[in-house]
Amino acid sequence: MASVMWKELACADLNALAEQEAIVVLPVASMEQHGPHLPVGVDTVLCEAVCRRAAERVAAQPANPDPLVFEMPPRPVVVAPTLWCGMAEHHMSFGGTFTFDIPTYRAVLLAFLRSILRAGFRRVAIVNGHGGNMSALNAFLPDLQRETMLRLYATTYFMLAVEEMLPLLDRQNGVRHACEVETSMMMALTPDLVKADRLAEAYGPMFEDTRSVLAPEWQSFQAIMDLSPNGVIGDARTASAGKGELLLAACAGALAAKLLDRKLWDVG
C-alpha cells in the first residue's frame, strides 16, 4: 500500500489523489511542556501517529465485489503535514513551549487550508490533538469554511474514543495531560523519549470532571502551573507500552470510523 502521508509522496501522487477526490486529514497539535518525564512534542507525535494509523485503515478498506450490496469502495485519503504549534499560553510559564495568539493561529490555519484547496482537494478533516486548541477551532470553523469553500470537518481525536479507552485505564476516566494515556502511547511509539526514572513523580490533580477545567461555568485565564506545579494532570505511574498500543488502536479505530462516514463523501 502506498504511503498515506503527504510529506512522503511526490507531487504527481498528490495530484492524482486530488483527482480521486481524496479527503485530506490535517493534524493540528502543540509543542508544550509535558511534565518531568515526557518531551514537549507529545501532542504532535501522538496526533500524527493516530492520523496515520486511521488513514491507513481507511485506505485498506476493501471494495465489496457484489454490485447489489451498496458499500463504499476504498476511499483515498492523505494526511497533511502536522501543524505542530497551537494555543498553549497556559503552558508558557514552564518554558520549552511555543504558542500562537488567536489572530496568528487563525491566519496559519487559513493558509494551510488555502494551500490544500489550491492543490486541488475539496474535503478536509481537521484532527486536533491538544485540548487548548478546541475552543479556537470551534470558533474558527464557520469562517474557515466560508473563506475557503472547502467541505470542512473538525474533531479532537481523543474525544472520539472516550468509551473505548475507559476499560483500558487504571487511574483515569479519560485523557488528561502528561498522564496515564499520553505516557502509555508515547511508551508504545517513542520509548526512548520517555524518562522512566521520572515516572514516580509523574502525577498531579485528577480532575475527574474535565468540564470543570475545559468549560467552567465562571471563567478566567489559569496557567497549568497554578493547577499542577510539575505540569502533570492525571497519573502516569501506571502507564505501559502495552496499554499504549491498545489506546492507539482505539483512537485510530474511532477516527477511521468517522473518516468512513458516507457524509464525508457525498458530492457537493
Side-chain angles (χ1 to χ4, degrees):
M1 184 174 68
S3 176
V4 297
M5 304 302 288
W6 186 300
K7 64 186 176 184
E8 296 173 2
L9 298 172
C11 60
D13 302 322
L14 291 160
N15 291 339
L17 284 167
E19 290 176 2
Q20 297 166 33
E21 297 285 345
I23 190 166
V24 177
V25 176
L26 174 58
V28 298
S30 186
M31 193 69 58
E32 64 192 35
Q33 73 81 25
H34 270 78
H37 62 301
L38 293 178
V40 296
V42 165
D43 291 349
T44 297
V45 171
L46 296 184
C47 190
E48 183 167 307
V50 169
C51 288
R52 178 194 281 266
R53 291 183 179 207
E56 288 173 346
R57 288 192 185 204
V58 172
Q61 287 290 313
N64 194 310
D66 185 351
L68 298 179
V69 177
F70 179 71
E71 294 286 345
M72 290 196 308
R75 293 301 186 179
V77 61
V78 61
V79 180
T82 303
L83 176 50
W84 57 264
C85 187
M87 302 299 298
E89 180 61 38
H90 49 304
H91 291 284
M92 290 298 289
S93 53
F94 283 96
T97 298
F98 285 84
T99 192
F100 284 134
D101 58 22
I102 286 285
T104 304
Y105 191 35
R106 185 187 185 283
V108 171
L109 269 174
L110 182 58
F112 271 42
L113 293 171
R114 283 178 169 161
S115 294
I116 291 168
L117 178 65
R118 292 178 67 185
F121 296 93
R122 295 195 299 162
R123 296 174 176 84
V124 179
I126 300 171
V127 178
N128 175 44
H130 168 55
N133 293 339
M134 293 166 68
S135 295
L137 290 171
N138 288 339
F140 296 162
L141 195 61
D143 287 346
L144 295 176
Q145 172 129 6
R146 187 189 69 250
E147 293 179 41
T148 63
M149 299 305 290
L150 287 163
R151 294 194 61 179
L152 286 180
Y153 307 87
T155 189
T156 297
Y157 79 82
F158 50 80
M159 300 301 288
L160 294 176
V162 172
E163 296 302 319
E164 292 82 0
M165 288 192 291
L166 190 56
L168 304 173
L169 302 179
D170 295 311
R171 300 296 306 277
Q172 300 172 198
N173 62 7
V175 178
R176 299 295 183 264
H177 181 76
C179 62
E180 180 181 359
V181 177
E182 291 189 323
T183 304
S184 292
M185 292 196 289
M186 288 297 289
M187 285 176 166
L189 288 170
T190 57
D192 292 345
L193 299 183
V194 179
K195 296 180 183 293
D197 60 329
R198 304 295 299 273
L199 278 174
E201 58 191 286
Y203 64 95
M206 296 297 286
F207 295 122
E208 291 299 332
D209 182 3
T210 54
R211 292 173 300 177
S212 64
V213 177
L214 296 177
E217 293 179 359
W218 184 255
Q219 297 191 40
S220 64
F221 174 77
Q222 193 164 25
I224 292 293
M225 185 174 280
D226 296 332
L227 302 172
S228 173
N230 70 354
V232 179
I233 307 292
D235 192 341
R237 291 175 294 181
T238 58
S240 71
K243 186 184 299 182
E245 281 295 344
L246 295 173
L247 290 165
L248 286 164
C251 291
L255 178 56
K258 286 296 183 185
L259 294 174
L260 285 167
D261 191 319
R262 284 191 177 92
K263 289 188 234 179
L264 272 69
W265 302 98
D266 292 339
V267 177

